[in-house]
Amino acid sequence: MLRQLFAVLVLVASCLAVAIPTKFAINGTHTGIKRQSGSPRPMRRNILDLQKDVPTWSLYIQGLSALQDKPEDFFLSYFQIAGIHGRPYIPWGDAAQAPGAPTTGYCTHNSVLFLPWHRPYLALYEQLIGATVQDLVKTYPPALQATYQVAANNFRIPYWDWAAIPTMPAVVNQPNVTITTGAGVQSVRNPMYRYNFQKFPLDPTYFPADSSVAGDAWLARYPYTVRGAPDTQNSPSDPDTANSALLRSNLMSGTYYALVKPASFNEFGTTATPGTSIESVHNQVHGCVGMTGGHMSILSYSAFDPIFWLHHANVDRLFALYQAINPNSYLTPQIEESGTYALTPNSLDTLSTPLEPFAPTGAGPYFTSTSARQTSTFGYTYPEIQDWLQSPSQLKASVTAAINRLYNSNAARVNQRTGETEPRTHFPNKQETEWSVGIKVSKFDLSGERFIIRVFLDTVPEDPKDWPMASSCVGSFPVFPPPHSGGAPYPEVIAYSEVSLVNGLAHLGKDATDIHGVRKFLRRALQWRMQKFDGTVVPVENIPSLSIRVQEELVTMGGDITELPSYGAMTLHPEITTGRAGGYAGAA
């Protein structure tokens, strides 16, 4: 009898196992869109704007809370969706680990797939919250349901525009938030404040807390996500420290240069290509929000912090702005150096490389950079992009104007003759000289530890604790090595960045057009230093791959706000840094 009962239980269990889905069709959120072609798409809105819309804001808070409350063993839970990015390094859906691929997450970084991969990832997150938002409408009194149904249909996830306002939105650091629920106005738990792990301690198989086993071990000891943590000793969140770092990171100018300067999509999209990239600016935000010990500064844990999704929605928005002003520019094949859970190291990334584990039917074939290219595929847009109303040339002009209004921090120039500040629009098509510093480094120069390269003009504070906030620090490049198992030898994974010297030279009263004078000044005044994320000073000699070079370009300014500057040929000045530790030692 017991044997028969056991057999029945096994059969029931197997049937239940089969009944649990492990596939999910990712096609975005298409509510609020009329069927006829040329209809508007709902916008992903700035979180500061969304807060003012009580119905949509209230639905968003409840929808995100519901997602976070789903059991962590459910493959569509917040825990498992966040886990696609990094830990627990397990398959999601049917996307198995590729032969020879590292044991890491699916996310692509320092890769030309960085931007296209995150687009369906955000769409999945938006789709899950959007479905819950639709169900929430039914919880409201009949008199309010029409209003809340419109809000639900037009719901799309918000973004945090850190380039325009480089501090975290105040609401994300408040434990509770007041919204209107079906039962009336209530103060509820704020799901943007942090994610609380449901099963704690975390499973050491996937979240090791032993530092001899994993370089991110300290984060396994937290029962929830933290921001701005000053060390790796289970410190509490310190948003003020994070905001101070964000304010000193030149995010506005970095974003502007990333949008207007690159000559190709690969250069715009990834630190795997020389030049200034939006991925480099994105890295700055991760490092500042997480600081030394917070979840956002470790890629294997970063997606568990709810601010990750606000951050990456903005990265996707900047990707969309770039596409609007460069409609014919897209990725070209490039080597995937470090690999992911689904991509073998040193394979070739192309337009047809699968963006695993995201599939429009729930199983393969997966999205590719080609099929994920348009935001319309996933049913959303951004405030600056109304492509259904405009021709490509009109869209380019309007988005260019928006970029200039939002991010051109150099729109004002000091007249060298009168000393007065004049807007750039007074000088249509004027040619100017811009100086910058190019950085090249291997991510594994410190055996897998994170480090920061800081660039200074004129003076370097004696106390390294003052380096990040020093007015003489004109830029930083945080380096995030991908997860690596097995110890030495470490792979060589090259990353690039660029630091503008435009504002630094102007503040010091230097005439950028005086090539000889600037070269002479920079030979004396340009300095660079290295620090680990915990502030420990690293001798430059310990970063053997580091190459710092100085370059200048002749730039023709746009004729009006609907035009972007045009960059001429780059002239290198190797003599400024050659012969110094980390100085230029030849072509990249």
Side-chain angles (χ1 to χ4, degrees), residues 161-166 246-260 276 278 281 284-285 318 403-411 503:
D161 188 359
W162 32 255
I165 302 178
L246 287 164
L247 284 165
R248 289 294 310 154
S249 292
N250 301 316
L251 297 176
M252 181 180 287
S253 62
T255 297
Y256 185 73
Y257 285 121
L259 285 167
V260 307
T276 180
I278 206 64
V281 185
Q284 288 270 52
V285 177
L318 297 170
I403 291 170
N404 277 321
R405 283 193 301 267
L406 287 167
Y407 305 130
N408 188 359
S409 60
N410 301 315
N503 288 338

mmCIF file of all heavy atoms in Angstrom, residues 161-166 246-260 276 278 281 284-285 318 403-411 503:
data_model
loop_
_atom_site.group_PDB
_atom_site.id
_atom_site.type_symbol
_atom_site.label_atom_id
_atom_site.label_comp_id
_atom_site.label_asym_id
_atom_site.label_seq_id
_atom_site.Cartn_x
_atom_site.Cartn_y
_atom_site.Cartn_z
ATOM 1 N N ASP A 161 17.246 60.006 -15.300
ATOM 2 C CA ASP A 161 18.171 60.744 -16.162
ATOM 3 C C ASP A 161 19.303 61.325 -15.320
ATOM 4 O O ASP A 161 19.306 62.506 -14.969
ATOM 5 C CB ASP A 161 17.431 61.852 -16.922
ATOM 6 C CG ASP A 161 18.319 62.520 -17.966
ATOM 7 O OD1 ASP A 161 19.496 62.136 -18.087
ATOM 8 O OD2 ASP A 161 17.829 63.430 -18.664
ATOM 9 N N TRP A 162 20.297 60.488 -15.034
ATOM 10 C CA TRP A 162 21.434 60.895 -14.204
ATOM 11 C C TRP A 162 22.350 61.884 -14.926
ATOM 12 O O TRP A 162 23.160 62.543 -14.292
ATOM 13 C CB TRP A 162 22.235 59.675 -13.759
ATOM 14 C CG TRP A 162 22.249 58.526 -14.726
ATOM 15 C CD1 TRP A 162 21.558 57.355 -14.609
ATOM 16 C CD2 TRP A 162 22.988 58.420 -15.965
ATOM 17 N NE1 TRP A 162 21.813 56.522 -15.688
ATOM 18 C CE2 TRP A 162 22.681 57.148 -16.527
ATOM 19 C CE3 TRP A 162 23.862 59.261 -16.640
ATOM 20 C CZ2 TRP A 162 23.230 56.710 -17.737
ATOM 21 C CZ3 TRP A 162 24.406 58.833 -17.853
ATOM 22 C CH2 TRP A 162 24.099 57.572 -18.385
ATOM 23 N N ALA A 163 22.226 61.987 -16.241
ATOM 24 C CA ALA A 163 23.056 62.951 -16.960
ATOM 25 C C ALA A 163 22.554 64.372 -16.753
ATOM 26 O O ALA A 163 23.346 65.317 -16.668
ATOM 27 C CB ALA A 163 23.081 62.618 -18.452
ATOM 28 N N ALA A 164 21.229 64.545 -16.654
ATOM 29 C CA ALA A 164 20.659 65.879 -16.445
ATOM 30 C C ALA A 164 20.704 66.279 -14.979
ATOM 31 O O ALA A 164 21.010 67.435 -14.654
ATOM 32 C CB ALA A 164 19.211 65.918 -16.953
ATOM 33 N N ILE A 165 20.381 65.340 -14.090
ATOM 34 C CA ILE A 165 20.410 65.595 -12.642
ATOM 35 C C ILE A 165 21.214 64.471 -12.001
ATOM 36 O O ILE A 165 20.681 63.381 -11.742
ATOM 37 C CB ILE A 165 18.989 65.665 -12.048
ATOM 38 C CG1 ILE A 165 18.177 66.750 -12.743
ATOM 39 C CG2 ILE A 165 19.052 65.924 -10.545
ATOM 40 C CD1 ILE A 165 16.745 66.859 -12.251
ATOM 41 N N PRO A 166 22.508 64.701 -11.746
ATOM 42 C CA PRO A 166 23.388 63.617 -11.313
ATOM 43 C C PRO A 166 23.321 63.295 -9.816
ATOM 44 O O PRO A 166 24.343 63.200 -9.135
ATOM 45 C CB PRO A 166 24.774 64.136 -11.710
ATOM 46 C CG PRO A 166 24.655 65.611 -11.571
ATOM 47 C CD PRO A 166 23.246 65.955 -11.986
ATOM 48 N N LEU A 246 28.397 60.901 -7.514
ATOM 49 C CA LEU A 246 27.703 61.157 -8.777
ATOM 50 C C LEU A 246 27.901 62.596 -9.239
ATOM 51 O O LEU A 246 28.134 62.861 -10.427
ATOM 52 C CB LEU A 246 26.204 60.859 -8.618
ATOM 53 C CG LEU A 246 25.801 59.389 -8.537
ATOM 54 C CD1 LEU A 246 24.380 59.257 -7.988
ATOM 55 C CD2 LEU A 246 25.902 58.717 -9.897
ATOM 56 N N LEU A 247 27.829 63.530 -8.303
ATOM 57 C CA LEU A 247 27.974 64.944 -8.640
ATOM 58 C C LEU A 247 29.363 65.271 -9.182
ATOM 59 O O LEU A 247 29.524 66.232 -9.948
ATOM 60 C CB LEU A 247 27.682 65.809 -7.401
ATOM 61 C CG LEU A 247 26.204 65.963 -7.037
ATOM 62 C CD1 LEU A 247 26.065 66.520 -5.625
ATOM 63 C CD2 LEU A 247 25.497 66.864 -8.039
ATOM 64 N N ARG A 248 30.374 64.483 -8.797
ATOM 65 C CA ARG A 248 31.740 64.754 -9.228
ATOM 66 C C ARG A 248 32.143 63.946 -10.461
ATOM 67 O O ARG A 248 33.311 63.953 -10.839
ATOM 68 C CB ARG A 248 32.718 64.417 -8.082
ATOM 69 C CG ARG A 248 32.664 65.367 -6.911
ATOM 70 C CD ARG A 248 33.137 66.757 -7.283
ATOM 71 N NE ARG A 248 34.403 66.748 -7.972
ATOM 72 C CZ ARG A 248 34.806 67.690 -8.809
ATOM 73 N NH1 ARG A 248 34.016 68.710 -9.078
ATOM 74 N NH2 ARG A 248 35.987 67.623 -9.404
ATOM 75 N N SER A 249 31.180 63.272 -11.089
ATOM 76 C CA SER A 249 31.538 62.333 -12.156
ATOM 77 C C SER A 249 31.385 62.879 -13.569
ATOM 78 O O SER A 249 31.564 62.128 -14.529
ATOM 79 C CB SER A 249 30.708 61.050 -12.008
ATOM 80 O OG SER A 249 31.090 60.364 -10.847
ATOM 81 N N ASN A 250 31.046 64.142 -13.721
ATOM 82 C CA ASN A 250 30.943 64.753 -15.056
ATOM 83 C C ASN A 250 30.034 63.953 -15.986
ATOM 84 O O ASN A 250 30.326 63.755 -17.170
ATOM 85 C CB ASN A 250 32.342 64.881 -15.688
ATOM 86 C CG ASN A 250 33.286 65.706 -14.855
ATOM 87 O OD1 ASN A 250 32.920 66.764 -14.354
ATOM 88 N ND2 ASN A 250 34.503 65.221 -14.680
ATOM 89 N N LEU A 251 28.905 63.503 -15.441
ATOM 90 C CA LEU A 251 28.019 62.641 -16.216
ATOM 91 C C LEU A 251 27.368 63.370 -17.386
ATOM 92 O O LEU A 251 27.148 62.779 -18.449
ATOM 93 C CB LEU A 251 26.939 62.039 -15.315
ATOM 94 C CG LEU A 251 27.445 61.119 -14.191
ATOM 95 C CD1 LEU A 251 26.291 60.673 -13.314
ATOM 96 C CD2 LEU A 251 28.175 59.917 -14.776
ATOM 97 N N MET A 252 27.074 64.650 -17.205
ATOM 98 C CA MET A 252 26.444 65.395 -18.300
ATOM 99 C C MET A 252 27.380 65.526 -19.495
ATOM 100 O O MET A 252 27.010 65.200 -20.635
ATOM 101 C CB MET A 252 25.990 66.777 -17.837
ATOM 102 C CG MET A 252 25.314 67.591 -18.936
ATOM 103 S SD MET A 252 24.762 69.230 -18.408
ATOM 104 C CE MET A 252 23.350 68.792 -17.397
ATOM 105 N N SER A 253 28.594 65.989 -19.249
ATOM 106 C CA SER A 253 29.519 66.156 -20.378
ATOM 107 C C SER A 253 29.921 64.808 -20.960
ATOM 108 O O SER A 253 30.060 64.669 -22.179
ATOM 109 C CB SER A 253 30.762 66.941 -19.943
ATOM 110 O OG SER A 253 31.488 66.250 -18.944
ATOM 111 N N GLY A 254 30.080 63.788 -20.095
ATOM 112 C CA GLY A 254 30.411 62.457 -20.603
ATOM 113 C C GLY A 254 29.331 61.922 -21.522
ATOM 114 O O GLY A 254 29.611 61.305 -22.562
ATOM 115 N N THR A 255 28.077 62.162 -21.145
ATOM 116 C CA THR A 255 26.958 61.715 -21.971
ATOM 117 C C THR A 255 26.913 62.473 -23.294
ATOM 118 O O THR A 255 26.700 61.888 -24.362
ATOM 119 C CB THR A 255 25.638 61.905 -21.210
ATOM 120 O OG1 THR A 255 25.656 61.087 -20.035
ATOM 121 C CG2 THR A 255 24.441 61.552 -22.062
ATOM 122 N N TYR A 256 27.120 63.777 -23.227
ATOM 123 C CA TYR A 256 27.085 64.584 -24.441
ATOM 124 C C TYR A 256 28.153 64.133 -25.435
ATOM 125 O O TYR A 256 27.871 63.905 -26.625
ATOM 126 C CB TYR A 256 27.273 66.060 -24.101
ATOM 127 C CG TYR A 256 27.136 66.974 -25.303
ATOM 128 C CD1 TYR A 256 25.891 67.229 -25.872
ATOM 129 C CD2 TYR A 256 28.254 67.582 -25.876
ATOM 130 C CE1 TYR A 256 25.759 68.062 -26.978
ATOM 131 C CE2 TYR A 256 28.133 68.410 -26.986
ATOM 132 C CZ TYR A 256 26.885 68.648 -27.533
ATOM 133 O OH TYR A 256 26.757 69.463 -28.637
ATOM 134 N N TYR A 257 29.377 63.969 -24.936
ATOM 135 C CA TYR A 257 30.451 63.552 -25.834
ATOM 136 C C TYR A 257 30.202 62.157 -26.398
ATOM 137 O O TYR A 257 30.504 61.880 -27.564
ATOM 138 C CB TYR A 257 31.797 63.600 -25.117
ATOM 139 C CG TYR A 257 32.315 65.005 -24.940
ATOM 140 C CD1 TYR A 257 32.573 65.527 -23.679
ATOM 141 C CD2 TYR A 257 32.534 65.824 -26.043
ATOM 142 C CE1 TYR A 257 33.033 66.823 -23.516
ATOM 143 C CE2 TYR A 257 32.989 67.131 -25.893
ATOM 144 C CZ TYR A 257 33.239 67.625 -24.626
ATOM 145 O OH TYR A 257 33.694 68.907 -24.469
ATOM 146 N N ALA A 258 29.632 61.261 -25.583
ATOM 147 C CA ALA A 258 29.339 59.917 -26.074
ATOM 148 C C ALA A 258 28.295 59.941 -27.185
ATOM 149 O O ALA A 258 28.338 59.134 -28.115
ATOM 150 C CB ALA A 258 28.874 59.018 -24.929
ATOM 151 N N LEU A 259 27.352 60.867 -27.105
ATOM 152 C CA LEU A 259 26.306 60.962 -28.120
ATOM 153 C C LEU A 259 26.785 61.627 -29.404
ATOM 154 O O LEU A 259 26.327 61.270 -30.497
ATOM 155 C CB LEU A 259 25.106 61.733 -27.564
ATOM 156 C CG LEU A 259 24.215 60.989 -26.570
ATOM 157 C CD1 LEU A 259 23.265 61.957 -25.870
ATOM 158 C CD2 LEU A 259 23.416 59.892 -27.274
ATOM 159 N N VAL A 260 27.686 62.596 -29.299
ATOM 160 C CA VAL A 260 28.002 63.408 -30.478
ATOM 161 C C VAL A 260 29.361 63.113 -31.110
ATOM 162 O O VAL A 260 29.566 63.435 -32.278
ATOM 163 C CB VAL A 260 27.930 64.922 -30.151
ATOM 164 C CG1 VAL A 260 26.598 65.270 -29.507
ATOM 165 C CG2 VAL A 260 29.088 65.365 -29.251
ATOM 166 N N THR A 276 35.221 57.483 -26.660
ATOM 167 C CA THR A 276 34.270 57.782 -25.584
ATOM 168 C C THR A 276 32.985 57.017 -25.841
ATOM 169 O O THR A 276 32.425 57.074 -26.931
ATOM 170 C CB THR A 276 34.001 59.295 -25.507
ATOM 171 O OG1 THR A 276 33.089 59.555 -24.458
ATOM 172 C CG2 THR A 276 33.462 59.846 -26.804
ATOM 173 N N ILE A 278 29.057 55.293 -24.285
ATOM 174 C CA ILE A 278 28.003 55.396 -23.282
ATOM 175 C C ILE A 278 28.168 54.299 -22.236
ATOM 176 O O ILE A 278 27.728 54.465 -21.090
ATOM 177 C CB ILE A 278 26.618 55.348 -23.961
ATOM 178 C CG1 ILE A 278 25.582 56.080 -23.093
ATOM 179 C CG2 ILE A 278 26.181 53.936 -24.253
ATOM 180 C CD1 ILE A 278 25.854 57.560 -22.921
ATOM 181 N N VAL A 281 30.266 55.778 -19.429
ATOM 182 C CA VAL A 281 29.479 56.642 -18.548
ATOM 183 C C VAL A 281 28.584 55.782 -17.654
ATOM 184 O O VAL A 281 28.437 56.040 -16.451
ATOM 185 C CB VAL A 281 28.634 57.635 -19.370
ATOM 186 C CG1 VAL A 281 27.910 58.611 -18.446
ATOM 187 C CG2 VAL A 281 29.496 58.395 -20.365
ATOM 188 N N GLN A 284 30.390 54.500 -14.726
ATOM 189 C CA GLN A 284 30.546 55.509 -13.679
ATOM 190 C C GLN A 284 29.356 55.498 -12.724
ATOM 191 O O GLN A 284 29.509 55.576 -11.507
ATOM 192 C CB GLN A 284 30.659 56.900 -14.314
ATOM 193 C CG GLN A 284 31.957 57.170 -15.018
ATOM 194 C CD GLN A 284 32.995 57.774 -14.077
ATOM 195 O OE1 GLN A 284 33.267 57.257 -13.014
ATOM 196 N NE2 GLN A 284 33.564 58.885 -14.490
ATOM 197 N N VAL A 285 28.152 55.394 -13.277
ATOM 198 C CA VAL A 285 26.947 55.402 -12.446
ATOM 199 C C VAL A 285 26.916 54.162 -11.549
ATOM 200 O O VAL A 285 26.623 54.254 -10.350
ATOM 201 C CB VAL A 285 25.685 55.490 -13.320
ATOM 202 C CG1 VAL A 285 24.426 55.416 -12.465
ATOM 203 C CG2 VAL A 285 25.695 56.782 -14.135
ATOM 204 N N LEU A 318 19.247 56.623 -24.045
ATOM 205 C CA LEU A 318 20.360 57.259 -24.743
ATOM 206 C C LEU A 318 20.733 56.481 -26.001
ATOM 207 O O LEU A 318 21.119 57.076 -27.015
ATOM 208 C CB LEU A 318 21.555 57.379 -23.790
ATOM 209 C CG LEU A 318 21.308 58.278 -22.564
ATOM 210 C CD1 LEU A 318 22.446 58.155 -21.565
ATOM 211 C CD2 LEU A 318 21.103 59.733 -22.976
ATOM 212 N N ILE A 403 19.119 66.908 -27.343
ATOM 213 C CA ILE A 403 20.447 66.574 -26.807
ATOM 214 C C ILE A 403 21.206 67.842 -26.452
ATOM 215 O O ILE A 403 21.836 67.942 -25.389
ATOM 216 C CB ILE A 403 21.223 65.720 -27.827
ATOM 217 C CG1 ILE A 403 20.591 64.332 -27.955
ATOM 218 C CG2 ILE A 403 22.696 65.610 -27.440
ATOM 219 C CD1 ILE A 403 21.140 63.503 -29.101
ATOM 220 N N ASN A 404 21.149 68.840 -27.333
ATOM 221 C CA ASN A 404 21.844 70.100 -27.058
ATOM 222 C C ASN A 404 21.265 70.817 -25.843
ATOM 223 O O ASN A 404 21.994 71.383 -25.027
ATOM 224 C CB ASN A 404 21.789 71.008 -28.280
ATOM 225 C CG ASN A 404 22.862 70.681 -29.298
ATOM 226 O OD1 ASN A 404 23.992 70.367 -28.937
ATOM 227 N ND2 ASN A 404 22.519 70.731 -30.581
ATOM 228 N N ARG A 405 19.938 70.804 -25.726
ATOM 229 C CA ARG A 405 19.315 71.475 -24.576
ATOM 230 C C ARG A 405 19.622 70.754 -23.259
ATOM 231 O O ARG A 405 19.884 71.405 -22.238
ATOM 232 C CB ARG A 405 17.800 71.537 -24.777
ATOM 233 C CG ARG A 405 17.323 72.599 -25.736
ATOM 234 C CD ARG A 405 15.811 72.807 -25.623
ATOM 235 N NE ARG A 405 15.078 71.575 -25.907
ATOM 236 C CZ ARG A 405 14.608 71.256 -27.114
ATOM 237 N NH1 ARG A 405 14.810 72.077 -28.132
ATOM 238 N NH2 ARG A 405 13.940 70.134 -27.288
ATOM 239 N N LEU A 406 19.595 69.457 -23.289
ATOM 240 C CA LEU A 406 19.720 68.681 -22.055
ATOM 241 C C LEU A 406 21.152 68.521 -21.577
ATOM 242 O O LEU A 406 21.426 68.573 -20.370
ATOM 243 C CB LEU A 406 19.099 67.294 -22.255
ATOM 244 C CG LEU A 406 17.583 67.207 -22.320
ATOM 245 C CD1 LEU A 406 17.155 65.834 -22.827
ATOM 246 C CD2 LEU A 406 16.979 67.474 -20.942
ATOM 247 N N TYR A 407 22.088 68.307 -22.513
ATOM 248 C CA TYR A 407 23.400 67.791 -22.100
ATOM 249 C C TYR A 407 24.607 68.604 -22.550
ATOM 250 O O TYR A 407 25.727 68.264 -22.184
ATOM 251 C CB TYR A 407 23.563 66.359 -22.612
ATOM 252 C CG TYR A 407 22.446 65.447 -22.170
ATOM 253 C CD1 TYR A 407 21.770 64.643 -23.087
ATOM 254 C CD2 TYR A 407 22.040 65.399 -20.838
ATOM 255 C CE1 TYR A 407 20.734 63.809 -22.688
ATOM 256 C CE2 TYR A 407 21.008 64.576 -20.433
ATOM 257 C CZ TYR A 407 20.359 63.787 -21.355
ATOM 258 O OH TYR A 407 19.335 62.974 -20.952
ATOM 259 N N ASN A 408 24.401 69.659 -23.335
ATOM 260 C CA ASN A 408 25.559 70.416 -23.799
ATOM 261 C C ASN A 408 26.023 71.367 -22.700
ATOM 262 O O ASN A 408 25.694 72.554 -22.685
ATOM 263 C CB ASN A 408 25.220 71.184 -25.076
ATOM 264 C CG ASN A 408 26.446 71.827 -25.686
ATOM 265 O OD1 ASN A 408 27.549 71.717 -25.160
ATOM 266 N ND2 ASN A 408 26.255 72.499 -26.812
ATOM 267 N N SER A 409 26.798 70.831 -21.784
ATOM 268 C CA SER A 409 27.289 71.630 -20.663
ATOM 269 C C SER A 409 28.314 72.660 -21.102
ATOM 270 O O SER A 409 28.670 73.558 -20.343
ATOM 271 C CB SER A 409 27.910 70.724 -19.599
ATOM 272 O OG SER A 409 29.006 69.998 -20.140
ATOM 273 N N ASN A 410 28.812 72.547 -22.334
ATOM 274 C CA ASN A 410 29.793 73.494 -22.853
ATOM 275 C C ASN A 410 29.156 74.529 -23.779
ATOM 276 O O ASN A 410 29.823 75.141 -24.597
ATOM 277 C CB ASN A 410 30.885 72.742 -23.627
ATOM 278 C CG ASN A 410 31.601 71.742 -22.756
ATOM 279 O OD1 ASN A 410 31.954 72.038 -21.628
ATOM 280 N ND2 ASN A 410 31.785 70.531 -23.271
ATOM 281 N N ALA A 411 27.836 74.706 -23.628
ATOM 282 C CA ALA A 411 27.136 75.648 -24.507
ATOM 283 C C ALA A 411 27.597 77.078 -24.287
ATOM 284 O O ALA A 411 27.450 77.931 -25.147
ATOM 285 C CB ALA A 411 25.634 75.556 -24.291
ATOM 286 N N ASN A 503 36.697 71.394 -20.229
ATOM 287 C CA ASN A 503 36.347 72.230 -19.083
ATOM 288 C C ASN A 503 37.550 72.469 -18.176
ATOM 289 O O ASN A 503 37.729 73.571 -17.644
ATOM 290 C CB ASN A 503 35.218 71.585 -18.283
ATOM 291 C CG ASN A 503 33.881 71.661 -19.002
ATOM 292 O OD1 ASN A 503 33.685 72.512 -19.862
ATOM 293 N ND2 ASN A 503 32.971 70.768 -18.653
#
